[in-house]
Amino acid sequence: MAVLRRKARRGQGGGAVQDVLDDPLDAAQERRVRAVLALGGVPQADLPDGVQQVRLRLLERTASGREAPRDVSAWAAVVASNLAMDWHRAKKRQERLGERLAALREPAHPSGEDTRLLSLAVAQGLDELPDAQRQVLVLRFYADLPVRGIAEQLGIPEGTVKSRLHTAVRALRARLHEDEVV
């Protein structure tokens, strides 16, 4: 955008200030972008945002100093198609996240035997961890202390606590998978 303003101030680029203020997409190109987005499965309510994204990308391209595409209409259609794919990916990501959250909300009622088996496996896994890792893991997940609180209690940096937690959780998870408990 700054490049466009500088060109406008210098009087370059044809109509100078008017070029900066003009819509980078004409009406026919906008209709084509809307059609590509709609055919790509983007809902009607999201079409104006998609058209604005195409405009923004065209302006960013121009502002970065790259030359304008030879065929703006074709370029805009490709960008719109990519936006439609991005929209679907984001939607699927949201659905997966929703499924995971729903699964967390559903109470799992393992049998007493399963609970005892899991508890035993976790206890054995904790025993195999180095003392420093076991300590931060127990303080974080059993005593429910925040990372900052653990760091203060142990007199170590928060980054060290996070590193030890990460390593400990990864090792415990691997152990539980190895024993086919989870």
Side-chain angles (χ1 to χ4, degrees):
M1 201 65 166
V3 171
L4 290 175
R5 285 190 188 113
R6 273 184 262 143
K7 284 184 177 180
R9 274 190 235 118
R10 285 190 225 131
Q12 299 172 348
V17 173
Q18 190 59 39
D19 286 348
V20 174
L21 300 176
D22 285 344
D23 190 343
L25 297 176
D26 64 28
Q29 292 165 337
E30 182 177 334
R31 282 193 304 275
R32 185 174 186 186
V33 166
R34 282 181 173 276
V36 169
L37 290 168
L39 290 171
V42 175
Q44 287 290 325
D46 292 337
L47 292 180
D49 289 338
V51 172
Q52 287 300 89
Q53 281 293 319
V54 172
R55 281 188 178 101
L56 178 63
R57 292 192 185 176
L58 184 58
L59 288 171
E60 287 172 342
R61 178 185 174 105
T62 305
S64 70
R66 292 184 287 173
E67 65 182 57
R70 285 187 198 153
D71 185 352
V72 173
S73 187
W75 180 89
V78 170
V79 171
S81 177
N82 290 338
L83 286 172
M85 286 190 294
D86 291 346
W87 183 86
H88 281 289
R89 286 186 195 118
K91 182 179 174 192
K92 286 183 181 174
R93 220 178 355 256
Q94 282 297 111
E95 288 170 356
R96 285 193 306 265
L97 179 62
E99 290 169 3
R100 280 192 246 142
L101 289 174
L104 290 175
R105 282 188 218 117
E106 294 173 6
H109 299 290
S111 69
E113 181 65 29
D114 290 343
T115 303
R116 282 191 296 270
L117 187 63
L118 181 59
S119 295
L120 181 61
V122 168
Q124 287 175 342
L126 283 171
D127 285 343
E128 293 175 5
L129 290 174
D131 292 339
Q133 291 177 7
R134 181 174 49 253
Q135 184 180 34
V136 295
L137 196 71
V138 168
L139 289 173
R140 177 68 187 106
F141 295 109
Y142 289 95
D144 202 28
L145 286 178
V147 170
R148 176 172 282 152
I150 296 169
E152 289 170 1
Q153 292 295 320
L154 299 179
I156 59 176
E158 287 182 42
T160 303
V161 173
K162 291 176 184 179
S163 174
R164 289 178 185 174
L165 274 172
H166 175 76
T167 305
V169 168
R170 201 170 65 199
L172 187 57
R173 183 180 296 132
R175 168 62 194 249
L176 294 175
H177 282 290
E178 185 179 292
D179 291 345
E180 297 181 6
V181 175
V182 289

